[in-house]
Amino acid sequence: MGRGKTLEQHIAVFGESGSGKTVLMTSWYGVARDIQTASDPLYKVKADNFDLGTKLFQSYLGMKEDSKAPPADRFKATDYSFLVEPRQADSPRATKNREFDNLRLVWHDYPGEWFESAPHTATEQERRIETFQAFLTSNVALLLIDAQKLLANAGQEERYLKSLFDNFERSLEDLEAALTKRGKLSRFPRVWVLGLSKADLIPDLDVCGFRDMLIKKAGREISALRSTIGRLINEPEALAFGEDFVLLSSARFTADAIDVATRKGVDLVLPMAEILPLTRLFDMLRARIMSPEMLA
Ligand SMILES: Nc1nc2c(ncn2[C@@H]2O[C@H](COP(=O)(O)OP(=O)(O)O)[C@@H](O)[C@H]2O)c(=O)[nH]1
Ligand SMILES: [Mg+2]
């Protein structure tokens, strides 16, 4: 256990199977653990479940030392919880003024195949609903768009993008009645970041180019998905879907090597989970304070 007060933040990572979710978490955790034995980093990370932490670190070492990607079915769990302990501040006053001493980051890893197929049995449907409910208590959601699939559809990226957003919308619609059985949801990720996974495969695409491609080629599907999500929740005006974008590369993958030292965006996961929900809340409160009704 860490010392003092702990802020718990949840991040839900959505993406089709093969889109890079497991490798992203492995890279995030592995590098954080790796450097903390060698240096004095800004923060230290520990998996709450010791066995899971060991397996994750083994997977990371497999990538780093043997250039082996983590096997697809290695981790059956969907929730991974980590304690993030920042380095002690130099001045006791800074420590005293901190609202929180530690952060617990919980990753919810959405089983990718749920995007692609409907549940086969009532039990499976039930499990999906339960898992989804846990997902939807997250503070931030990250929806992965796979650079490899964009490349495979070069020139016709809309084919992949439309089907990705449509499938996701459909899986939400399938669960809509069950999710809102007891009324619209109040706890829900307010910030949905669209992330380009495997960004190393398209080195010339910057984050503005990525955003523009999404809006140009799948703007309609993104709006439809935003409305569907809006129907599930209270205060849909506080939803930011598709307003934040990030490029992610968990390592550089070449034909015969995986270079974990060359990454992009992975270090943004923590601040994304920690800061974005707060800035969104701040914007919402500010908009309320400035609204005509409040000023009248
Ligand atoms: N080029 C590149 N390939 C990646 C990256 N992350 C994952 N991959 C590839 O995508 C495969 C599937 O990734 P994985 O994380 O298992 O996908 P998941 O099903 O979403 O968990 C890996 O085995 C790698 O070959 C990345 O950052 N860059
Ligand atoms: Mg996976």
Side-chain angles (χ1 to χ4, degrees):
M1 271 314 285
R3 304 164 300 255
K5 284 177 288 188
T6 302
L7 170 70
E8 189 165 303
Q9 293 293 95
H10 290 237
I11 183 164
V13 184
F14 294 93
E16 293 170 313
S17 51
S19 60
K21 300 180 297 297
T22 302
V23 171
L24 179 65
M25 187 173 56
T26 311
S27 172
W28 174 77
Y29 179 72
V31 170
R33 285 239 56 149
D34 208 7
I35 57 172
Q36 74 199 28
T37 30
S39 63
D40 184 20
L42 285 175
Y43 59 84
K44 291 190 173 185
V45 176
K46 204 161 53 188
D48 283 324
N49 177 324
F50 184 82
D51 291 341
L52 209 59
T54 307
K55 274 193 199 157
L56 260 183
F57 196 49
Q58 267 174 0
S59 279
Y60 162 78
L61 291 175
M63 292 197 337
K64 182 182 166 193
E65 285 164 13
D66 307 326
S67 290
K68 271 208 302 247
D73 58 357
R74 176 99 206 240
F75 306 108
K76 288 281 179 231
T78 53
D79 296 348
Y80 306 84
S81 170
F82 303 98
L83 186 71
V84 180
E85 293 181 285
R87 191 166 60 198
Q88 287 299 298
D90 296 333
S91 87
R93 196 155 148 239
T95 308
K96 191 163 153 263
N97 290 340
R98 264 206 313 244
E99 284 288 322
F100 295 96
D101 302 290
N102 308 301
L103 177 76
R104 169 157 289 106
L105 181 67
V106 185
W107 290 61
H108 297 271
D109 186 310
Y110 187 74
E113 60 277 14
W114 289 7
F115 261 111
E116 290 127 45
S117 65
H120 299 296
T121 61
T123 325
E124 203 188 319
Q125 165 83 353
E126 208 40 51
R127 219 193 117 222
R128 281 194 193 191
I129 293 166
E130 276 167 23
T131 310
F132 221 88
Q133 272 161 340
F135 256 82
L136 294 182
T137 57
S138 297
N139 310 83
V140 172
L142 173 64
L143 179 54
L144 295 184
I145 288 123
D146 187 343
Q148 201 172 350
K149 296 237 168 115
L150 288 178
L151 273 184
N153 289 279
Q156 298 177 307
E157 291 86 355
E158 61 280 6
R159 293 213 303 210
Y160 160 61
L161 293 171
K162 281 174 194 284
S163 82
L164 174 76
F165 292 117
D166 277 348
N167 284 349
F168 189 49
E169 193 191 344
R170 208 158 337 117
S171 46
L172 274 181
E173 279 172 348
D174 285 347
L175 301 176
E176 185 172 348
L179 291 174
T180 54
K181 207 161 58 189
R182 282 189 224 103
K184 296 202 179 211
L185 307 169
S186 295
R187 268 194 81 186
F188 190 82
R190 298 286 161 181
V191 182
W192 288 68
V193 180
L194 300 180
L196 177 69
S197 68
K198 313 183 192 173
D200 53 299
L201 297 178
I202 320 183
D204 295 335
L205 188 65
D206 64 13
V207 74
C208 296
F210 171 55
R211 176 200 62 198
D212 295 350
M213 179 198 284
L214 292 181
I215 306 294
K216 193 165 144 215
K217 304 215 166 198
R220 192 145 17 111
E221 289 71 20
I222 291 176
S223 299
L225 181 50
R226 188 192 288 131
S227 318
T228 302
I229 293 176
R231 281 206 308 271
L232 299 175
I233 57 175
N234 281 321
E235 303 196 277
E237 68 279 7
L239 173 71
F241 182 91
E243 294 175 24
D244 298 281
F245 302 86
V246 63
L247 302 183
L248 294 163
S249 167
S250 306
R252 195 148 54 100
F253 286 69
T254 48
D256 47 11
I258 302 177
D259 172 14
V260 286
T262 309
R263 311 190 302 171
K264 202 187 276 179
V266 181
D267 295 328
L268 290 176
V269 169
L270 195 57
M272 235 158 57
E274 196 183 346
I275 295 165
L276 276 180
L278 298 177
T279 53
R280 189 66 202 163
L281 183 68
F282 176 75
D283 287 348
M284 191 180 88
L285 292 174
R286 192 174 51 183
R288 278 208 187 145
I289 291 166
M290 305 298 280
S291 73
E293 309 92 81
M294 292 294 283
L295 292 175

